[in-house]
Amino acid sequence: MDKKEKEFFVQAVYDVVRIIPYGRVTSYGAIAKAIGHSNMSRMVGRVMSDCKACPENIPAHRVVNSHGKLSGKDAFGCAAEMQKLLETEGVIVVGDKIKKFEILFWDPLQEI
DNA sequence: GGCGTGACTATGG
DNA sequence: ACCATAGCCACGC
């Protein structure tokens, strides 16, 4: 069991999420791919839910699935919290989905 | 080690 | 646009 590998993965996820620009969003799969694990999209989601203590420096609300849907909003304590945070940043959300997702999408690979 | 579950993704009807 | 399938991997029982 390589705990270090697991920790490295987790830290890599945090590092990427932390550099997501204000008012922009990305997907679990994009993050997974950016850190060299294109098939670990589910793990990225797991990492986010595990970070319950979600420090403010980790804007997990800017991470949605490939369809621009807020699949993890229920993990923010209050279901409306995630959407609220996004709208505060100017991101329009309707029916749990982000409007202009293709425009607001931010690809980590472009920064790395 | 099997089995179900999940903040996932891609594809096809 | 919605639902079903299949592939994916880690975690808990």
Side-chain angles (χ1 to χ4, degrees), chain A residues 30-46:
Chain A
I31 294 174
K33 189 172 184 178
I35 62 182
H37 295 276
S38 55
N39 52 321
M40 303 287 253
S41 54
R42 309 190 74 144
M43 301 306 95
V44 175
R46 168 167 279 287

Side-chain angles (χ1 to χ4, degrees), chain A residues 44-54 75:
Chain A
V44 175
R46 168 167 279 287
V47 171
M48 301 315 285
S49 62
D50 281 347
C51 85
K52 305 249 182 197
C54 282

Side-chain angles (χ1 to χ4, degrees), chain A residues 24-27 30 64 66 100-108 110:
Chain A
R24 302 293 298 285
V25 298
T26 192
S27 71
V64 297
S66 63
K100 316 284 188 188
F101 180 59
E102 296 185 12
I103 307 291
L104 299 173
F105 183 76
W106 174 79
D107 187 351
Q110 292 183 0

Side-chain angles (χ1 to χ4, degrees), chain A residues 17-26 55-64 70 76 80-93 98-100 104-106:
Chain A
V17 177
R18 246 191 306 259
I19 59 178
I20 299 176
Y22 181 94
R24 302 293 298 285
V25 298
T26 192
E56 293 123 31
N57 29 342
I58 300 180
H61 58 280
R62 294 183 190 147
V63 185
V64 297
L70 285 54
F76 283 74
E81 190 63 15
M82 188 175 186
Q83 181 174 326
K84 186 178 178 182
L85 288 170
L86 286 171
E87 298 192 317
T88 296
E89 301 186 358
V91 178
I92 310 302
V93 179
I98 295 176
K99 283 293 181 185
K100 316 284 188 188
L104 299 173
F105 183 76
W106 174 79

